[in-house]
Amino acid sequence: MKIDDRSRISTVLCLWLVPVLLALLTACSPPQPPIRVGLLAWPPYELAWLAEKEGYFDPDRVELVEFQSPAEASRAYAVGGLDVVALTLDYVFELHARTSEHRVFLLIDESRGGDVVISRAPMLELARLKGKRIGLESGPLGAHMLYSLLRRAGLAPDDVELLYFDIPDQLEAYASGKVDVMITYEPVRTKLLQRGGHQIFSSREIPGEIIDVFVARESQMRERGDDFRHFTQGWFRALAQLRREPDASAAAMAPRLDMSAPQFLSALAGVEMYSLESNRQLLGASDTGFMDGVRRFATSVNLASGQTVPAQMDRLFSPAVLPESGAQP
């Protein structure tokens, strides 16, 4: 056999063996675990559970995990127990203060009345809050709502008594008379109003300041881009279903929050859900007005809770794992 023939045979064997070996190595590699997504009891977040129920998420690729408070979910994410977490932007600023690896990859909603202040008695003048016991959740969101309320009332934190309760404990604290006023959000809002409470302030009066988002580490988004795109695709499929069939979708989501379908739809009226098109525009930093609003909010959060305003704010946002252009959610 000629040397050229041997060389040709060796080349053919190599070309055949390389893909076979790669396939064997891939088969021997353990499968990636699903990306773990942390969620709270907040009506817009129920879209993720709807997506799971409708089969829009492959259970081998996405696992949903429920938490009782944003502080608990944020801690779980910070220590690596979650790959993704749904939070308000102020918690993202808090995470960013520790490390700049976090990225907002999906905008969920803007609160326009879903975050509220409920009083036992009607209160036409907010200045009458002076001396009252105000209950709130510990964390940047509670601090921001308190700061906005007191600023509107012309009061200082020393003018009121502050008592801290996690969301699962707020209903009991209110019912037992431990507070005069509660800073809260859905679904507790609906339940307090059912008990005769009076809404005296809401996020409707501070538009653009409370935004819910999904956040993840940039390295994981890069390494598992297909899984993250699978998640965002499923999310927008659920949103499309909600808009196409609001009554049936609400009936499917409401029981988890111990709400009726009409109550659930009423709660959703207090938010503006971000569409896929809005996400593409806003996360792509093509809307400077949005970023200006985020910077103003960051400054307000800094005044309310003493957090550092994140540097290079636009780097917090990434459209990298949104569904591909032209995809039909």
Side-chain angles (χ1 to χ4, degrees), residues 100-114:
S100 60
E101 66 177 338
H102 310 292
R103 297 290 179 270
V104 170
F105 68 89
L106 194 155
L107 303 172
I108 302 172
D109 68 89
E110 177 191 322
S111 178
R112 296 184 179 179

Side-chain angles (χ1 to χ4, degrees), residues 8 29 57 74 76 86 116 125 132 144 159-160 204 214-215 275 277:
R8 194 176 299 113
S29 300
F57 293 151
S74 182
V116 298
E125 297 178 4
K132 301 295 185 184
H144 178 65
D159 292 326
V160 296
R204 190 176 298 277
F214 282 113
V215 64
S275 66
E277 293 73 21

Side-chain angles (χ1 to χ4, degrees), residues 4-16:
D4 288 347
D5 291 337
R6 288 200 200 95
S7 178
R8 194 176 299 113
I9 292 170
S10 297
T11 301
V12 171
L13 284 172
C14 285
L15 290 174
W16 180 80

Side-chain angles (χ1 to χ4, degrees), residues 183-309:
I183 296 174
T184 190
Y185 48 82
E186 293 287 10
V188 176
R189 169 191 176 271
T190 292
K191 294 172 183 177
L192 292 184
L193 291 177
Q194 286 179 322
R195 291 172 178 261
H198 301 268
Q199 184 170 306
I200 61 173
F201 184 80
S202 82
S203 52
R204 190 176 298 277
E205 297 169 73
I206 48 172
E209 295 194 11
I210 299 180
I211 297 174
D212 288 282
V213 302
F214 282 113
V215 64
R217 294 168 183 82
E218 185 178 33
S219 58
Q220 284 192 299
M221 289 168 55
R222 186 169 54 249
E223 293 165 9
R224 303 190 61 180
D226 287 345
D227 289 334
F228 274 85
R229 271 182 286 274
H230 172 74
F231 173 77
T232 58
Q233 177 79 10
W235 173 268
F236 287 113
R237 287 183 69 185
L239 179 58
Q241 178 174 321
L242 171 64
R243 290 178 169 170
R244 187 175 61 249
E245 305 169 0
D247 293 334
S249 298
M253 291 186 282
R256 276 184 30 83
L257 299 184
D258 193 25
M259 301 173 80
S260 67
Q263 286 173 337
F264 189 88
L265 288 175
S266 177
L268 283 184
V271 303
E272 179 68 27
M273 301 294 295
Y274 286 102
S275 66
L276 174 55
E277 293 73 21
S278 294
N279 268 270
R280 283 180 178 148
Q281 178 185 7
L282 301 178
L283 293 182
S286 59
D287 190 317
T288 55
F290 172 73
M291 288 308 305
D292 288 343
V294 170
R295 290 187 183 93
R296 286 195 299 272
F297 175 53
T299 301
S300 176
V301 169
N302 178 47
L303 292 172
S305 61
Q307 288 183 192
T308 303
V309 177

Side-chain angles (χ1 to χ4, degrees), residues 20-143:
V20 172
L21 289 172
L22 287 174
L24 287 172
L25 287 171
T26 302
C28 293
S29 300
Q32 287 269 44
I35 56 174
R36 304 188 79 229
V37 182
L39 299 163
L40 305 169
W42 167 242
Y45 296 177
E46 291 301 305
L47 275 184
W49 297 101
L50 179 64
E52 181 183 70
K53 183 176 182 179
E54 295 295 328
Y56 300 154
F57 293 151
D58 181 341
D60 291 332
R61 302 176 76 179
V62 176
E63 178 186 355
L64 306 182
V65 186
E66 187 170 21
F67 289 85
Q68 297 299 311
S69 75
E72 180 187 11
S74 182
R75 283 194 298 269
Y77 169 78
V79 300
L82 296 171
D83 305 298
V84 175
V85 65
L87 294 168
T88 47
L89 262 183
D90 37 358
Y91 275 92
V92 179
F93 298 156
E94 191 176 62
L95 289 166
H96 184 81
R98 302 173 197 167
T99 171
S100 60
E101 66 177 338
H102 310 292
R103 297 290 179 270
V104 170
F105 68 89
L106 194 155
L107 303 172
I108 302 172
D109 68 89
E110 177 191 322
S111 178
R112 296 184 179 179
D115 294 83
V116 298
V117 182
I118 304 292
S119 171
R120 291 185 176 282
M123 197 171 295
L124 298 179
E125 297 178 4
L126 292 181
R128 294 179 60 191
L129 284 167
K130 188 170 184 177
K132 301 295 185 184
R133 299 166 298 165
I134 298 181
L136 69 160
E137 190 176 43
S138 177
L141 177 58

